[in-house]
Amino acid sequence: MASVAIGEVYKSFGAVEILHGVSVNIEDGEFVTLVGPSGCGKSTLLRMIAGLEKISRGQIAIGERVVNNVAPKERDVAMVFQNYALYPHMTVAENMAFSLMLKGVSKPESDAGVHRAAEILGLVPLLARYPRQLSGGQRQRVAMGRAIVRDPAVFLFDEPLSNLDAKLRVQMRAEIKELHQRLKTTTVYVTHDQIEAMTMADKIVVMHDGIVEQIGPPLELYDRPNNLFVASFIGSPAMNLLRGEIAIDGSPSFRGAGGFSVPLASALSIPNGEPVVLGIRPEHLRLSDDQGIPVTVAVVEPTGSEVQLIGRTAGGEEIVANFRERHSFTPGETIRLTAEPGLIHLFHGETGQRFQTRADQ
Ligand SMILES: Nc1ncnc2c1ncn2[C@@H]1O[C@H](COP(=O)(O)OP(=O)(O)OP(=O)(O)O)[C@@H](O)[C@H]1O
Ligand SMILES: [Mg+2]
């Protein structure tokens, strides 16, 4: 096992720079997810760790060793891709043994390694089958088996579940997490699915346009996003974001477009009139009688476990609320929603940076 240190890494393809100084420290044994919109550079960064792309500037170390100029097969990493492409003419056992054979491992030792990995992944009954005789989830497990038999210092996964249907994804997600708890191998896992990122990771790296927006444990990112990008990217349904300004009249409040106001924590030190964006997670909104944000109900979606409401503020901004209680709403009616001051996020209206609130300390 090993740590991975990514220090001020840049990547250009020709004249186009697509990674602009990325630094991430991954501890030995940690499970880290790289998440971000399509094209932000996740796969490129992962491929640089694997040695499949050259590093334009900066350095990557695996354990104590700087690997900038180390060949992929010397790096002691195993990568699982989205298109895991098993060899169709080889059985499951042969697919898994292939890399060991290339390394010159003896037959008995290779058999033992394959068997151990097959046991971990529940593949023992399938060892003699060919890939075409497997379901999508079983094929994905074989692809992981190929990585496990190599007993690498670091696992690299690039969206390994994106070809699977929704139910299987959830199951495989739990399996990969359990596997990591057993093997404790340092893992870097790329996904653009923020739920996958949240549920699997010890630490999430949120990327956007070739830079790192924030690094932290899942719940820290959820509870204290550093900026508007992370606030809107992490969480589903997304955080409600309303534009307005600070109004100080004795105690501070937020004044939104359309004239409503929301009381804020009194220790806040943002000047009167400052343009801000107010953030409230859908599950933190509560119904209130007379105070709060007036919202016109547009769509009501009962899912059984909760009721999701989509509405509009007087300023025309969309707002989503999730209730555990079974309220009944009528489209077109106006209700009022509030949130506790401690659960309200504030971001600078221009830079998008988070204002530190009392709950942050
Ligand atoms: N070999 C290449 N030559 C030129 N540009 C490339 C090359 N590989 C990637 N890029 C560009 O680099 C940027 C980042 O690509 P990358 O594949 O790392 O994104 P990603 O975050 O993995 O996206 P996705 O979620 O869609 O997989 C993209 O704009 C892409 O077009
Ligand atoms: Mg990618």
Side-chain angles (χ1 to χ4, degrees), residues 42-43 158-159 190:
K42 305 177 296 292
S43 295
D158 194 355
E159 310 221 25
V190 166

Side-chain angles (χ1 to χ4, degrees), residues 13 18 36-45 53 158-159 190 192:
F13 289 109
I18 61 127
S38 186
C40 70
K42 305 177 296 292
S43 295
T44 304
L45 186 60
E53 290 293 352
D158 194 355
E159 310 221 25
V190 166
H192 61 245

Side-chain angles (χ1 to χ4, degrees), residues 165-352:
D165 69 41
K167 195 167 163 217
L168 200 51
R169 278 184 83 123
V170 174
Q171 185 191 334
M172 291 298 295
R173 179 169 97 194
E175 281 188 23
I176 294 179
K177 189 167 175 173
E178 199 185 333
L179 187 71
H180 178 257
Q181 283 159 5
R182 280 177 75 166
L183 302 178
K184 300 194 168 56
T185 306
T186 310
T187 301
V188 188
Y189 187 104
V190 166
T191 176
H192 61 245
D193 179 341
Q194 55 88 24
I195 301 274
E196 224 165 85
M198 289 286 289
T199 52
M200 298 176 92
D202 296 315
K203 191 159 88 183
I204 300 183
V205 178
V206 181
M207 292 178 64
H208 178 211
D209 285 348
I211 61 158
V212 170
E213 294 278 3
Q214 191 170 357
I215 301 179
L219 294 182
E220 190 179 304
L221 266 60
Y222 192 83
D223 293 341
R224 282 184 296 280
N226 269 347
N227 55 45
L228 278 176
F229 179 78
V230 179
S232 58
F233 195 78
I234 298 285
S236 173
M239 184 186 285
N240 294 297
L241 298 170
L242 304 175
R243 291 200 166 265
E245 60 181 34
I246 295 291
I248 300 186
D249 179 13
S251 56
S253 62
F254 167 87
R255 193 180 305 121
F260 64 90
S261 70
V262 179
L264 301 171
S266 51
L268 201 70
S269 56
I270 307 176
N272 194 20
E274 189 83 345
V276 295
V277 176
L278 177 92
I280 307 178
R281 297 237 174 247
E283 71 274 24
H284 292 153
L285 284 165
R286 295 275 168 271
L287 273 181
S288 86
D289 292 336
D290 49 353
Q291 294 172 334
I293 310 167
V295 172
T296 307
V297 176
V299 180
V300 187
E301 299 179 329
T303 65
S305 61
E306 57 184 30
V307 177
Q308 184 169 105
L309 176 147
I310 303 168
R312 284 191 192 288
T313 65
E317 290 172 297
E318 188 177 277
I319 195 159
V320 176
N322 276 353
F323 302 99
R324 296 234 135 217
E325 314 81 47
R326 295 197 170 177
H327 298 296
S328 55
F329 301 107
T330 315
E333 77 172 310
T334 299
I335 55 169
R336 284 180 175 265
L337 298 174
T338 58
E340 281 179 36
L343 295 173
I344 286 174
H345 307 256
L346 283 173
F347 303 93
H348 194 281
E350 275 133 37
T351 65

Side-chain angles (χ1 to χ4, degrees), residues 36-83:
S38 186
C40 70
K42 305 177 296 292
S43 295
T44 304
L45 186 60
L46 198 72
R47 291 168 59 79
M48 287 162 89
I49 301 172
L52 303 173
E53 290 293 352
K54 274 202 92 52
I55 299 166
S56 304
R57 194 140 55 92
Q59 90 174 25
I60 296 181
I62 298 178
E64 299 293 300
R65 182 166 65 140
V66 174
V67 294
N68 286 35
N69 297 313
V70 175
K73 64 179 188 341
E74 308 292 333
R75 291 193 184 194
D76 202 11
V77 302
M79 187 151 166
V80 178
F81 299 91
Q82 175 182 347
N83 300 317

Side-chain angles (χ1 to χ4, degrees), residues 86-99 101 127-134 142 146:
L86 303 175
Y87 301 111
H89 57 289
M90 290 184 192
T91 63
V92 168
E94 287 162 354
N95 263 286
M96 283 166 65
F98 191 67
S99 67
M101 192 190 82
L127 282 172
R129 290 212 201 162
Y130 288 89
R132 65 173 184 281
Q133 300 168 315
L134 302 174
V142 177
R146 282 197 306 202

